[in-house]
């Protein structure tokens, strides 16, 4: 409930970002489903196998999207010859990005689920925008400053997350003793 109140406070003052907030909530919901599914799959399946099928699904989905965009726009967007024209230097960057920054990072993130709960993973993922906003403020200064109510809402959300972690740890300690 406290997180919803925090989001409400943010939403009330940052109305010009309504679409972004709604898309963020949809993204968080889909990310939660994705993480919960991975949490169940990791019990019986290797992280590399899970990641392979998830990344393959992403490639197929994006390919279908680009094909539809290509046909609907008369070939100006999506799949056409210029889309596939890549310099030899870019191939090396693509290889690095695809193997290390995507495949390895994705496999490692799935493997971590053997040791951390889906809840902890979701907290880490969904708090990234808040970390990003605070870092932007620290790096870029007042030109990236949000309304004070935004910070109150974000502080309420962070406090709720920290309090939840504290209470869970306290319950776990009480169960042990």
């Amino acid at each position: 409930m406290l997180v919803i109140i925090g989001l409400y406070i943010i939403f009330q003052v940052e109305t010009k970002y309504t679409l972004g907030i709604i898309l963020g909530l949809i993204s968080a919901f889909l990310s939660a489903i994705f993480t919960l599914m991975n949490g169940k799959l990791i019990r019986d399946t290797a992280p590399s196998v899970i990641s392979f099928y998830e990344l393959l699904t992403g490639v197929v989905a994006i390919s279908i999207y680009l094909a539809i965009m290509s046909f609907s726009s008369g070939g100006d967007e999506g799949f056409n010859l210029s889309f596939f024209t890549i310099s030899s230097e870019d191939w090396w960057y693509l290889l690095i990005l695809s193997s290390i920054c995507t495949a390895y990072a994705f496999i490692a993130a799935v493997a971590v689920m053997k040791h951390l709960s889906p809840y902890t993973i979701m907290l880490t993922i969904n708090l990234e925008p808040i970390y990003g906003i605070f870092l932007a403020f620290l790096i870029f200064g007042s030109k990236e400053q949000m309304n004070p109510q935004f910070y109150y809402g974000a502080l309420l959300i962070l406090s709720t997350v920290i309090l939840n972690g504290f209470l869970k740890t306290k319950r776990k300690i009480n169960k042990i003793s």
Side-chain angles (χ1 to χ4, degrees):
M1 278 311 279
L2 291 175
V3 171
I4 292 171
I5 292 169
L7 287 171
Y8 178 77
I9 291 170
I10 291 171
F11 191 72
Q12 290 300 310
V13 296
E14 298 297 341
T15 55
K16 64 183 176 182
Y17 302 114
T18 302
L19 179 62
I21 291 170
I22 290 170
L23 290 175
L25 290 172
I26 292 169
S27 173
F29 175 74
L30 293 174
S31 180
I33 291 172
F34 186 75
T35 303
L36 289 171
M37 287 172 42
N38 279 347
K40 293 219 181 273
L41 290 172
I42 196 67
R43 295 177 189 158
D44 304 323
T45 311
S48 56
V49 173
I50 294 170
S51 299
F52 172 78
Y53 285 113
E54 289 174 348
L55 291 172
L56 180 64
T57 302
V59 168
V60 169
I62 290 172
S63 297
I64 291 170
Y65 171 77
L66 288 173
I68 291 169
M69 291 303 296
S70 177
F71 291 123
S72 68
S73 68
D76 294 336
E77 295 178 20
F79 286 125
N80 58 32
L81 190 56
S82 66
F83 181 81
F84 293 103
T85 305
I86 299 172
S87 71
S88 59
E89 183 179 323
D90 287 343
W91 278 108
W92 287 110
Y93 291 131
L94 284 172
L95 180 66
I96 292 168
L97 286 171
S98 64
S99 61
I100 298 170
C101 300
T102 303
Y104 172 74
F106 205 81
I107 291 168
V110 173
V112 163
M113 295 187 118
K114 285 188 175 190
H115 309 286
L116 298 174
S117 70
Y119 178 78
T120 304
I121 301 292
M122 284 309 306
L123 280 181
T124 305
I125 293 169
N126 287 323
L127 288 177
E128 283 178 1
I130 293 175
Y131 307 145
I133 290 167
F134 283 124
L135 282 173
F137 179 71
L138 291 174
I139 293 169
F140 298 115
S142 63
K143 67 180 178 181
E144 292 296 323
Q145 188 171 359
M146 304 292 271
N147 204 319
Q149 284 84 355
F150 170 85
Y151 294 105
Y152 299 145
L155 184 63
L156 181 60
I157 292 169
L158 283 172
S159 300
T160 303
V161 168
I162 291 168
L163 179 63
N164 182 51
F166 174 76
L167 292 174
K168 279 187 173 184
T169 303
K170 188 175 179 180
R171 271 191 234 135
K172 194 181 283 186
I173 291 171
N174 288 341
K175 278 185 179 179
I176 293 171
S177 25

